[in-house]
Amino acid sequence: RLLGHKFPQRTMEWFQEVKKWAENRQITLLAKGGPTFLFGTPPPYVIPFGDPGMATAGSGDLLSGILGALLAQGLTADDAALFGASLHGLAGEKAA
């Protein structure tokens, strides 16, 4: 949606377009899903942790809270996203 057109699935075209979009704006972008992708300071990361049960209302809110807490402690956006999304996914696996 951010790119202005819809991709039917996460393809190499999607990956390249999102990477370029984040780099052009010099932002950290976390694309939640199975798996989660982190675009920011190169290289992009793939965060393989998580469980399908996490695709429910409130899961993204929890991730936002984790990221906000890490940022408030002084982590960079990239470090907070990498650590926070990994922690979030591992917690989801443990809960499942």
Side-chain angles (χ1 to χ4, degrees), residues 5-96:
H5 54 91
K6 192 172 183 173
F7 291 92
Q9 57 188 345
R10 290 181 172 187
T11 60
M12 184 55 78
E13 179 189 7
W14 170 85
F15 184 88
Q16 293 298 333
E17 289 291 320
V18 174
K19 180 177 178 287
K20 182 171 60 173
W21 194 87
E23 287 173 353
N24 288 343
R25 287 159 180 77
Q26 298 179 345
I27 62 167
T28 299
L29 189 145
L30 199 57
K32 231 177 73 140
T36 294
F37 290 91
L38 170 60
F39 301 93
T41 302
Y45 289 94
V46 177
I47 301 165
F49 311 113
D51 182 83
M54 296 172 69
T56 187
S59 181
D61 297 330
L62 178 61
L63 177 58
S64 294
I66 292 169
L67 297 177
L70 293 171
L71 289 167
Q73 293 180 55
L75 272 71
T76 66
D78 286 342
D79 287 345
L82 182 59
F83 180 64
S86 297
L87 180 64
H88 181 253
L90 288 168
E93 286 181 9
K94 182 146 179 80

